[in-house]
Amino acid sequence: MTIEQTASAVAILAATALFLPASANAGGRPLTDWVGSWSLGAEQTIDISLEEGSLLVVDGYATYGARDPERVAQGSVQVASFFARITRGQVEAGEVIRFTIDGDTVLPFAVADGSLCKVELKLEWPKLRARDNGRCGGANVSFTGLYAAPYKK
């Protein structure tokens, strides 16, 4: 069995299981390790919180040009954002979250529509690696990069 097949099988099993406690570790890190305010410089943040019922709330906000006074004065700052509620079963091997955003709806990552916002997060403690398809907001705005360890709230 390949690594991809193993990860897929784990994801399928996790998706059909009952909710696990927030501290549960299903072959990866506990959900609490995701929690915090992750940052990639001054213009990209991903805030992750834990709600009752083992739901991770993922809220991303990024800008392009917000630190440039000239762009701000011209009103040419670009903005991108996403918001998703992720169940424990959607955290692949405890370390990867993938989803697609269509307006206010969270869809599986595999949705083929390339015009929708697609986000992949990988926990590489103490860092968070993020990747998106450039469709989460304005021109030149991206969440892609390696985010610093979070400030724990």
Side-chain angles (χ1 to χ4, degrees), residues 46-103:
I46 298 175
D47 293 318
I48 302 177
S49 59
L50 188 59
E51 284 188 353
E52 207 171 307
S54 296
L55 287 173
L56 287 175
V57 177
V58 184
D59 192 3
Y61 184 78
T63 58
Y64 177 79
R67 307 286 288 181
D68 180 347
E70 191 173 313
R71 288 184 72 90
V72 172
Q74 294 171 352
S76 60
V77 174
Q78 299 293 315
V79 176
S81 64
F82 62 79
F83 181 84
R85 282 190 162 82
I86 305 297
T87 66
R88 178 67 174 111
Q90 293 171 290
V91 182
E92 300 170 23
E95 297 180 354
V96 178
I97 298 171
R98 294 180 178 100
F99 54 87
T100 300
I101 301 290
D102 185 5

Side-chain angles (χ1 to χ4, degrees), residues 92 98-100 107-114 116 118-119:
E92 300 170 23
R98 294 180 178 100
F99 54 87
T100 300
L107 303 170
F109 186 76
V111 171
D113 188 340
L116 299 177
K118 292 178 151 314
V119 177

Side-chain angles (χ1 to χ4, degrees), residues 15-61:
T16 59
L18 295 173
F19 286 115
L20 299 173
S23 61
N25 185 332
R29 304 199 65 91
L31 289 181
T32 52
D33 282 357
W34 290 88
V35 174
S37 185
W38 301 85
S39 65
L40 176 66
E43 293 195 77
Q44 293 125 317
T45 60
I46 298 175
D47 293 318
I48 302 177
S49 59
L50 188 59
E51 284 188 353
E52 207 171 307
S54 296
L55 287 173
L56 287 175
V57 177
V58 184
D59 192 3
Y61 184 78

Side-chain angles (χ1 to χ4, degrees), residues 3 8 19 28 46 62 76 79 106 137 140 142 144-145 149:
I3 292 173
S8 179
F19 286 115
I46 298 175
S76 60
V79 176
V106 179
N140 298 320
S142 176
T144 299

